[in-house]
Amino acid sequence: PDTTARCAAAEVGEIWVNAPSVAQGSWQRPDESEHTFRAHLKDSGRGPFLRTGDLGFMQDGELFVTGRIKDLIIIRGVNHYPQDIEATVERSHEHLRPGLGATFTVEIAGRERLVVVAEVERGRHRSKESFEPIFEAIRRNVSAEHELAVDAIALIKAGSIPKTSSGKIQRHAARNDFLSESLQTVALWQSWDKRPTAVVKPP
């Protein structure tokens, strides 16, 4: 999207839309409207297009959606889709609730750190030691499948991950709650202290 150039076939880029049904802009937000609703292609000047914020690619005349720009995880210059990492996480241990996790990055000490938030089944664990196999399994599987080191894992109460009214996971809300320490955390592991620590809170 920064180049405003059209992508080649099978090349991932931002999805732009041009149709009679596209709105004119955002109410009383001229700068936002100019950027979002009036994009033009660099090479041909064709437009205006609506910038959707979605990522995707064209192949054999069909559009494939790959994710959202704002959710994209970039570590050491490499793009990773959070849903791919989340799928790996939920398969890591039987006591993690499927489809109820979020991954994102936070900047700590000048470096992007990968954080995993995941709901854990109710009533399964009561001590720090009982959570260690889950922490270990998540770190091992994410490293093996994505070549990424997990820097923090927050295991949270069942039913507490931020979601939209339609049931979609709110990764940015989870990130904000992690930074403000307002997640309903039952166990936390993080690597950026003097040594890795695990903290368990009462259920």
Side-chain angles (χ1 to χ4, degrees):
D2 293 335
T3 67
T4 67
R6 185 171 182 169
C7 292
E11 182 181 7
V12 174
E14 184 182 24
I15 300 169
W16 288 10
V17 176
N18 180 302
S21 59
V22 173
Q24 296 296 310
S26 299
W27 177 252
Q28 295 184 341
R29 295 182 179 177
D31 293 340
E32 180 180 316
S33 295
E34 186 68 26
H35 178 267
T36 304
F37 291 86
R38 301 185 182 93
H40 289 77
L41 290 174
K42 181 179 180 180
D43 52 356
S44 65
R46 184 184 168 194
F49 288 93
L50 164 68
R51 299 174 183 257
T52 66
D54 292 314
L55 292 168
F57 64 92
M58 298 293 299
Q59 184 168 307
D60 299 328
E62 294 192 44
L63 172 64
F64 294 82
V65 180
T66 59
R68 292 282 293 168
I69 291 176
K70 67 179 183 179
D71 288 336
L72 194 65
I73 293 172
I74 304 174
I75 297 179
R76 296 187 297 277
V78 178
N79 295 346
H80 301 271
Y81 292 103
Q83 59 267 31
D84 294 339
I85 302 172
E86 289 156 9
T88 298
V89 169
E90 70 180 50
R91 293 193 302 267
S92 296
H93 199 279
E94 61 181 346
H95 293 160
L96 295 173
R97 305 188 74 204
L100 294 168
T103 57
F104 47 83
T105 58
V106 298
E107 186 174 327
I108 302 292
R111 185 167 73 83
E112 289 295 313
R113 314 279 184 140
L114 181 64
V115 178
V116 169
V117 174
E119 287 192 11
V120 67
E121 295 287 356
R122 290 183 177 90
R124 294 288 187 176
H125 308 274
R126 289 292 182 270
S127 67
K128 185 177 93 170
E129 290 74 18
S130 66
F131 288 103
E132 289 297 340
I134 302 178
F135 291 140
E136 182 181 350
I138 291 173
R139 294 194 302 265
R140 180 180 63 248
N141 289 353
V142 172
S143 175
E145 294 190 26
H146 304 280
E147 298 182 350
L148 290 172
V150 176
D151 294 290
I153 303 168
L155 301 178
I156 61 177
K157 290 183 179 180
S160 68
I161 197 163
K163 292 191 289 186
T164 66
S165 57
S166 60
K168 294 181 180 179
I169 301 298
Q170 293 183 300
R171 296 185 181 95
H172 281 256
R175 180 181 185 275
N176 292 338
D177 289 348
F178 176 81
L179 290 172
S180 64
E181 299 183 357
S182 55
L183 287 170
Q184 296 187 44
T185 305
V186 295
L188 173 68
W189 175 89
Q190 57 190 35
S191 66
W192 53 75
D193 293 327
K194 293 181 180 178
R195 58 183 180 180
T197 60
V199 178
V200 179
K201 297 181 179 180

